[in-house]
């Protein structure tokens, strides 16, 4: 699909409306090009650049080079008239798109490295994540180290405020010893 605001090549066919045969030797001196942009009224295209494609293999086929300044629309209709007797051509319709140029796209933010991500995670304050942390998480291990105490048959792990209970685990001990031999949730 042609792009807006770029030079665009348009091919069209000129033929004799009485017998349908191709009309040769047309050019910008014999053809007038009318242009309508986005449904506007037709106006004459000044100084059109028209070339005959190939009189042997493509008789009657011409190329119009539309300069970028003329393609500043989403929908263009071209109509051709000729001073040559009985020469006619069908209108051409163009739908143009706007494309984003790579240099117009802002660069993506830099993606942090794994080391930068882990540094950011590990330097967070436990109090920022403890309320959302599940019992079986790194946060619980850190809290157990910072804010925990065995109270009777329970190992109580508190949040960083020292008051709020994060989790409590049953403490198992041997009947013959005072040492803790295991912890159950």
């Amino acid at each position: 699909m042609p792009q807006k605001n770029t030079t665009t090549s348009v091919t069209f066919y000129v033929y004799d409306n009485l017998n349908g045969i191709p009309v040769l030797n047309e050019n910008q001196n014999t053809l007038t090009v009318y242009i309508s942009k986005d449904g506007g009224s037709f106006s004459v295209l000044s100084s059109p650049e028209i070339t005959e494609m190939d009189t042997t293999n493509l008789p009657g086929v011409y190329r119009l080079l539309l300069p970028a300044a003329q393609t500043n629309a989403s929908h263009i209709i071209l109509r051709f008239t000729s001073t040559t007797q009985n020469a006619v051509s069908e209108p051409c319709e163009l739908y143009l798109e706007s494309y984003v140029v790579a240099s117009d796209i802002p660069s993506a933010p830099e993606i942090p490295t794994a080391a930068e991500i882990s540094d950011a995670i590990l330097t967070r304050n436990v109090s920022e994540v403890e309320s959302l942390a599940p019992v079986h998480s790194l946060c619980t291990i850190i809290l157990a180290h910072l804010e925990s105490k065995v109270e009777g048959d329970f190992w109580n792990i508190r949040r960083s405020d020292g008051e709020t209970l994060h989790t409590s685990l049953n403490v198992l001990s041997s009947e013959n010893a005072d040492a803790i031999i295991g912890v159950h949730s």
Side-chain angles (χ1 to χ4, degrees), residues 19-91:
N19 57 24
I21 61 171
V23 174
L24 305 177
N25 301 318
E26 293 289 304
N27 56 45
Q28 50 267 29
N29 297 322
T30 58
L31 288 168
T32 302
V33 181
Y34 296 90
I35 187 169
S36 167
K37 299 177 187 178
D38 292 327
S41 59
F42 281 92
S43 60
V44 174
L45 184 64
S46 61
S47 306
E49 189 177 323
I50 299 170
T51 55
E52 194 165 7
M53 300 278 293
D54 183 338
T55 57
T56 304
N57 298 310
L58 293 169
V61 177
Y62 296 85
R63 176 181 296 134
L64 167 68
L65 199 60
L66 268 179
Q70 294 298 332
T71 62
N72 59 346
S74 297
H75 180 226
I76 293 176
I77 300 175
L78 298 168
R79 190 169 52 90
F80 308 92
T81 60
S82 175
T83 57
T84 304
Q85 188 171 355
N86 301 325
V88 294
S89 182
E90 302 301 324

Side-chain angles (χ1 to χ4, degrees), residues 52-185:
E52 194 165 7
M53 300 278 293
D54 183 338
T55 57
T56 304
N57 298 310
L58 293 169
V61 177
Y62 296 85
R63 176 181 296 134
L64 167 68
L65 199 60
L66 268 179
Q70 294 298 332
T71 62
N72 59 346
S74 297
H75 180 226
I76 293 176
I77 300 175
L78 298 168
R79 190 169 52 90
F80 308 92
T81 60
S82 175
T83 57
T84 304
Q85 188 171 355
N86 301 325
V88 294
S89 182
E90 302 301 324
C92 293
E93 237 179 319
L94 297 173
Y95 294 92
L96 298 104
E97 288 189 5
S98 294
Y99 292 96
V100 176
V101 179
S103 62
D104 295 340
I105 300 172
S107 59
E110 198 170 303
I111 298 171
T113 65
E116 291 168 332
I117 293 170
S118 63
D119 288 348
I121 291 170
L122 293 174
T123 58
R124 285 190 75 182
N125 192 321
V126 174
S127 64
E128 296 173 3
V129 295
E130 64 190 2
S131 65
L132 301 174
V135 172
H136 301 287
S137 69
L138 183 59
C139 181
T140 302
I141 294 169
I142 294 168
L143 286 171
H145 180 71
L146 298 174
E147 301 286 342
S148 71
K149 184 191 302 187
V150 175
E151 297 170 324
D153 289 338
F154 296 97
W155 181 20
N156 293 322
I157 301 172
R158 302 199 182 278
R159 296 215 172 131
S160 58
D161 64 8
E163 308 252 339
T164 307
L165 188 64
H166 182 71
T167 189
S168 185
L169 305 169
N170 289 329
V171 175
L172 304 174
S173 58
S174 169
E175 292 181 16
N176 299 331
D178 289 334
I180 296 172
I181 61 167
V183 177
H184 289 283
S185 54

